[in-house]
Amino acid sequence: KKKTVSFSSMPNDRKINSTAACISLMLEGCELKKVRSNSRMYSRFFVLDADMRSVRWEPSKKDSEKAKIEIKSVKEVRVGKKTPVLRSNGLSDQFPDECAFSIIYGDNYESLDLVASSADVVSAWVMGLRYLVSYGKHSPEAPGTGHPSLRTSWISSVFDLADLEKSGRIPVSRAVQLIKALNPGMKTSTIELKFKELQKASERPGTEVACDLFVEAYCELCTRPEIFFLLVQFSSNKEYLGVKDLLMFLEVEQGMEGVTEEKCLEIVSKYEPSKEGREKGYLAIDGFTRYLLSADCSIFDPQHRKVCQDMAQPLSHYYISSAHSACLLEDNFWGRSDISGYISALGLGCRSIELVLWDGPEGEPVVYTSPSAASCVPFRAVVGLIDQHAFTASAYPLILCLVVRCSAPQQRLAAQCLRKTLGEKLYLEPPNPVASYLPSPEELKGRILIKGKKLPPTCEDSEGEVSDEEEGWELARRLGQEDREAPEGGGLRRVRLSRELSELVSLCQAVPFQDFESSRRGQRYWEMCSFSEVEAGRFANECPAELVSYNKRFLSRVYPSPMRIDASNMNPQDFWKCGCQMVAMNYQTPGLMMDLNAGWFRQNGACGYVLRPAIMREEVSYFSANAKDSLPGVPAQLLHLKVISGQNLPKPKGSGAKGEVVEPYVCAEIHGIPADCAEHRTKTALQSGDNPIFDESLEFQINLPELAVLRFVVLDDDYIGDEFIAQYTIPFECLQPGYRHVPLQSLAGEPLPHATLFVHVAITDRRGGGKGHRRGLAGRRGRRVREYTSTKATGIKAIDEVFRTATQPLREATDLRENVQNALVSFKELCGLTPAANMKQCILTVSTWLLHSDSAPSVTLNLAEQYPPMEAQGPIPDLLRKVLTAYETMIQTSRTLIESADAVYGKLIQAQQAGMDFHKELHRIETKEGLRGRKLQKALESFAWNITVLKGQADLLKHAKAEALDNLWQIHNAGQSCGIGRNGSASPEPSRLQVPLEPIPE
């Protein structure tokens, strides 16, 4: 009697595409494992009674009347391990989360805990049960009878329009084209196969199809069960979302704020295909699917599509999108120089381009990076192109890195060409000698800066000698010119530089790097160094803190190793984590490294500038680029990622795979600081066609969210040759929570039409981490001994005494935050929700249980009070009593936090500012105390650690208070909207809007 349900799109498999199909499966029954409180599992056959009023199971020792649950007694249906029995340690590893579900029923809120053979079976039972529970309340007609649904009417009207002859039948070819137009991306062969299959089953072969067959084909092909399941979950009525349902979905699941009914009606009118649905404000399955696939519901936060970061910081505080050999379209030594490479790089928002100048055959300089003389491009043409395209993608400054390999006369021609062509765009003002930092991108908007060598002030001739850098000499060696300027006895090469070219260099003067101490003492802010990939890599591994500190004031450029003769790319994250602003990439070479670069620079309106994390910009801060754990003062976060399904996945390009079907799996990768780098993969979706179901949950801990990048890669398990199907790379800060579609791209970063991944994203705080940035999601329960962040001794008595005053406030701040977090998670677990749920979901869940009782609600929220108590009227079941106790603990810990936060915050800031007062005197105090060498280094590190910890913990406390106030607002809001609130006039709207604490200045 064993039955299974597949959500696969293979024609011979059963597909759930309506509530009626779910109920049909339940009426036939299937085998599920029943889990007892002693953690033992028993296989039982579960079936829905023919009158659809009870679910029974057999065999059972109980009387047949007792081995059943009446639908009207069901309070809630939970998906996943959401009850104490399913969470128990003995079971947690025996089956995946998506194969479990629980039925909460009866006046005592008992739970029937079940495990199915697959997530598909769970979806069918949960969808059907939720519908029947709702159906019992609303009493509409039974499934499959009575008035045709919104959807059927709409599909029939589409058929009628296509029935030009009004004969009640249309040609199969026209029907195929019609479905293809309604569902772009679907293969013609898939649609044709479905029509043949249905014609055969109904014994109506031929070249034409009738309306009923067209409707059936459309419903089977175009219903995505995972989206239908979601719709039923939020629908308060049959098979569509009303305005209130949609509003609930957007607020609760998608994390949207300030959603109004007007906004929901706009969504309905924009995406609902049926006229009746638009008029009545209903979003049925097709409209809901269109909405979820639209740009309005993208995984990429729309705020980041335009410039959204502070652009008034010094230039050295930004990562700058940089190209190495932009004119090359293939590789470094066998490629061909092509002028369109510059257009492409500038169009992608690149803000730093390298130009290597060589003597041209006709007396004018040329640009070429290939040994073939035929591949050179006149310098004049390149500058003209830059003038034309410099600011089409971004208004912020463009840096031209000149590497001079031509003679002085041709340098003069190059300088004249730059002045004449670029004119006012060229930035020639001398650096401000009294300033300490470079100007900001905002101040330099629309300007082009020249990075290059400059003649020393002592040189008064029209040309002089300057030291040269290694960059660009690999090509010279290939051209047989390596000995032309080789110095005697080793050391730095010397080159001749004309005054005209020297005078074009202002804010980006190239100087050789000696060591960090020399730079700290003698380098001026407008001077910058270039590092080879190997040299920068050595610094990043051996002295990352010094490299981070160096990059706070000075620009640094990292260029690829000359050994990369195939124009492959280095990993930019290796250098970004140390603050290096300009990591020069070979834009012409696709792959993982270029994906990371392109994805990273999308986050600030693709303007080519991304503000570095605050911990890497502040003058006094402790940051270890190679940290293996969370950082002081930076809230670590958890990314909960559910990969649900894929749509219209293409075959790998170079694949010799068997047949047309791919067998895909998804890899989710986090790239960032070493502590964050991780990769998880889903199982392979076997024989799944173009629309596989994965339904798998992955989790990542992110210690430095501002530097983390998430990359989805879809690969083929059934490949011969090429396994790559698609990818998408997105900065962690740009992720939107909720149900989202990921727009997949090719290896070269080009969009793949209609190819997507459907995922669910939730971001919560790691234990002890503080609030998720702009996410409004609460924390995770601590299972271990509470850890307290403390200050470190510097060895300087006066300074240590100041920091010692912060010991108690630091403990208090941690206790205030973690007590609230633990109480929140306990409350959520008792409500059957995950840590990612918000407060509104919790209150709505409790109200749903109460409204499913025959008796009047026995629990109310007193909204007249600022901290609303949840009050029981008369006797209540044990589970509800536990929920009330957990709610009371959560309210009390939140109250303590809100009322105590300002005082503790004040003490932390006072200690931090007192510490900062010592900063200017630090070197004098060090000398007086006789600190040097390792002791001095340790003292400086401890001082920076302490300042970072105090600022970070104060920030976390500020965020925790704001979140606690937001939770109170959500309680009031949900209490009023769901009917369990009373005395609801005193909503704390003003307290939600107030800014509780001033931001801490850098």
Side-chain angles (χ1 to χ4, degrees), residues 391-404:
F391 302 107
T392 50
S394 170
Y396 293 99
L398 174 68
I399 301 170
L400 297 184
C401 301
L402 296 188
V403 180
V404 180

Side-chain angles (χ1 to χ4, degrees), residues 313-316 320 397-401 425-445 447-454 501-511 523-529 550 553-556 581-582 609:
Q313 302 265 344
L315 210 58
S316 59
I320 303 170
L398 174 68
I399 301 170
L400 297 184
C401 301
K425 292 176 189 162
L426 211 52
Y427 186 91
L428 300 172
E429 295 160 34
N432 179 357
V434 295
S436 302
Y437 286 93
L438 288 161
S440 69
E442 191 60 43
E443 291 171 82
L444 296 169
K445 251 183 172 177
R447 306 303 290 272
I448 295 175
L449 278 58
I450 304 295
K451 178 236 169 197
K453 289 285 176 181
K454 205 164 173 64
L501 206 53
S502 169
E503 285 172 350
L504 298 183
V505 177
S506 167
L507 294 178
C508 297
Q509 182 181 338
V511 295
Q523 189 171 334
R524 292 166 296 188
Y525 72 84
W526 61 84
E527 295 175 334
M528 65 176 286
C529 299
Y550 173 86
R553 272 193 71 203
F554 309 115
L555 284 176
S556 63
Q581 299 87 348
M582 300 158 74
Y609 285 83

Side-chain angles (χ1 to χ4, degrees), residues 930-995:
L931 294 176
R932 55 175 63 87
R934 182 77 194 110
K935 277 190 177 177
L936 173 61
Q937 187 61 35
K938 190 81 180 149
L940 290 171
E941 268 185 24
S942 296
F943 183 83
W945 166 277
N946 294 344
I947 294 294
T948 307
V949 161
L950 291 172
K951 180 186 183 307
Q953 293 298 313
D955 258 341
L956 293 179
L957 189 58
K958 178 181 71 173
H959 287 309
K961 179 180 174 182
E963 184 176 70
L965 287 166
D966 188 66
N967 281 338
L968 288 181
W969 180 87
Q970 287 188 46
I971 290 169
H972 275 81
N973 186 294
Q976 285 176 328
S977 65
C978 70
I980 65 166
R982 60 185 177 83
N983 309 324
S985 55
S987 169
E989 188 72 34
S991 70
R992 188 185 199 211
L993 299 175
Q994 79 184 48
V995 178

Side-chain angles (χ1 to χ4, degrees), residues 97-394:
D97 192 66
E98 52 270 13
C99 286
F101 70 106
S102 304
I103 303 170
I104 312 296
Y105 67 97
D107 290 337
N108 290 322
Y109 293 79
E110 295 169 68
S111 72
L112 174 63
D113 299 300
L114 301 167
V115 178
S117 56
S118 72
D120 309 345
V121 178
V122 171
S123 296
W125 274 90
V126 173
M127 203 186 294
L129 283 167
R130 282 178 176 167
Y131 171 71
L132 288 171
V133 170
S134 173
Y135 166 57
K137 284 192 308 182
H138 294 284
S139 300
E141 61 280 354
T145 64
H147 189 70
S149 71
L150 264 180
R151 189 184 201 196
T152 309
S153 304
W154 167 67
I155 302 166
S156 302
S157 70
V158 170
F159 179 89
D160 291 342
L161 286 171
D163 182 10
L164 305 174
E165 298 80 17
K166 301 302 171 201
S167 62
R169 303 176 71 80
I170 61 172
V172 172
S173 58
R174 195 183 302 164
V176 169
Q177 288 309 310
L178 203 50
I179 287 182
K180 200 166 166 57
L182 292 168
N183 196 351
M186 187 173 283
K187 287 181 182 170
T188 305
S189 57
T190 307
I191 307 169
E192 287 171 343
L193 190 65
K194 177 57 66 181
F195 276 119
K196 280 179 187 169
E197 181 196 321
L198 292 176
Q199 283 180 321
K200 186 180 178 185
S202 62
E203 298 180 352
R204 288 187 284 174
T207 57
E208 292 189 321
V209 293
C211 184
D212 61 332
L213 201 132
F214 177 78
V215 170
E216 190 180 351
Y218 178 87
C219 288
E220 289 201 19
L221 286 166
C222 303
T223 306
R224 282 179 47 193
E226 71 277 23
I227 292 183
F228 187 72
F229 180 60
L230 191 57
L231 181 137
V232 171
Q233 197 177 329
F234 280 88
S235 171
S236 58
N237 197 323
K238 238 177 167 195
E239 298 187 2
Y240 55 78
L241 295 175
V243 168
K244 282 191 165 56
D245 301 332
L246 181 57
L247 192 141
M248 190 68 65
F249 171 73
L250 296 176
E251 277 195 345
V252 165
E253 205 54 72
Q254 302 298 86
M256 287 171 68
E257 291 185 357
V259 188
T260 60
E261 291 196 4
E262 289 71 31
K263 172 67 181 169
C264 294
L265 284 169
E266 276 177 37
I267 290 171
V268 172
S269 64
K270 187 173 179 182
Y271 296 105
E272 175 53 41
S274 72
K275 188 181 176 189
E276 186 188 353
R278 290 196 299 273
E279 287 170 354
K280 291 183 176 176
Y282 296 156
L283 195 64
I285 179 66
D286 298 288
F288 190 43
T289 305
R290 287 180 181 190
Y291 171 63
L292 287 173
L293 277 165
S294 72
D296 288 347
C297 213
S298 167
I299 191 170
F300 191 92
D301 188 338
Q303 288 183 41
H304 290 269
R305 293 194 191 284
K306 52 186 186 294
V307 174
C308 56
Q309 295 177 344
D310 176 9
M311 300 303 285
Q313 302 265 344
L315 210 58
S316 59
H317 286 185
Y318 297 84
Y319 296 112
I320 303 170
S321 180
S322 306
H324 180 229
S325 306
C327 63
L328 278 181
L329 289 185
E330 288 169 29
D331 57 49
N332 272 349
F333 297 112
W334 293 273
R336 66 188 200 286
S337 295
D338 185 310
I339 209 156
S340 65
Y342 290 108
I343 302 174
S344 171
L346 291 168
L348 291 168
C350 178
R351 295 288 83 195
S352 167
I353 283 181
E354 177 195 46
L355 299 175
V356 186
L357 275 62
W358 299 88
D359 279 335
E362 294 172 14
E364 283 203 26
V366 294
V367 173
Y368 68 100
T369 46
S370 149
S372 161
S375 69
C376 64
V377 180
F379 179 69
R380 190 179 299 278
V382 174
V383 175
L385 197 79
I386 289 169
D387 178 53
Q388 197 177 340
H389 296 277
F391 302 107
T392 50
S394 170

Side-chain angles (χ1 to χ4, degrees), residues 34-37 57 62 69 73-78 82-87 101-114 879:
K34 185 168 177 273
V35 186
R36 290 217 180 136
S37 54
W57 59 92
K62 293 180 182 175
I69 291 176
S73 73
V74 175
K75 308 289 184 193
E76 186 191 1
V77 186
R78 297 180 184 174
K82 302 279 176 58
T83 62
V85 170
L86 290 176
R87 278 201 198 96
F101 70 106
S102 304
I103 303 170
I104 312 296
Y105 67 97
D107 290 337
N108 290 322
Y109 293 79
E110 295 169 68
S111 72
L112 174 63
D113 299 300
L114 301 167
L879 175 70

Side-chain angles (χ1 to χ4, degrees), residues 418-553:
L418 285 165
R419 279 183 185 271
K420 186 180 174 185
T421 312
L422 302 179
E424 291 294 307
K425 292 176 189 162
L426 211 52
Y427 186 91
L428 300 172
E429 295 160 34
N432 179 357
V434 295
S436 302
Y437 286 93
L438 288 161
S440 69
E442 191 60 43
E443 291 171 82
L444 296 169
K445 251 183 172 177
R447 306 303 290 272
I448 295 175
L449 278 58
I450 304 295
K451 178 236 169 197
K453 289 285 176 181
K454 205 164 173 64
L455 290 173
T458 52
C459 174
E460 294 176 3
D461 300 334
S462 62
E463 59 184 73
E465 272 201 349
V466 291
S467 63
D468 193 21
E469 298 165 280
E470 271 300 299
E471 194 173 1
W473 279 109
E474 184 66 21
L475 183 61
R477 282 191 276 275
R478 301 239 165 194
L479 289 166
Q481 300 175 349
E482 71 271 31
D483 296 320
R484 199 174 64 179
E485 290 102 348
E488 289 181 21
L492 290 169
R493 295 172 190 272
R494 309 290 294 176
V495 291
R496 302 293 293 173
L497 181 68
S498 77
R499 178 164 296 282
E500 286 92 330
L501 206 53
S502 169
E503 285 172 350
L504 298 183
V505 177
S506 167
L507 294 178
C508 297
Q509 182 181 338
V511 295
F513 179 78
Q514 292 172 316
D515 56 66
F516 290 115
E517 185 54 33
S518 303
S519 294
R520 189 165 77 90
R521 294 186 184 282
Q523 189 171 334
R524 292 166 296 188
Y525 72 84
W526 61 84
E527 295 175 334
M528 65 176 286
C529 299
S530 288
F531 302 91
S532 77
E533 172 189 351
V534 175
E535 186 183 20
R538 191 176 77 250
F539 291 145
N541 289 323
E542 293 173 9
C543 43
E546 276 131 304
L547 189 52
V548 169
S549 183
Y550 173 86
N551 285 321
K552 286 177 185 178
R553 272 193 71 203

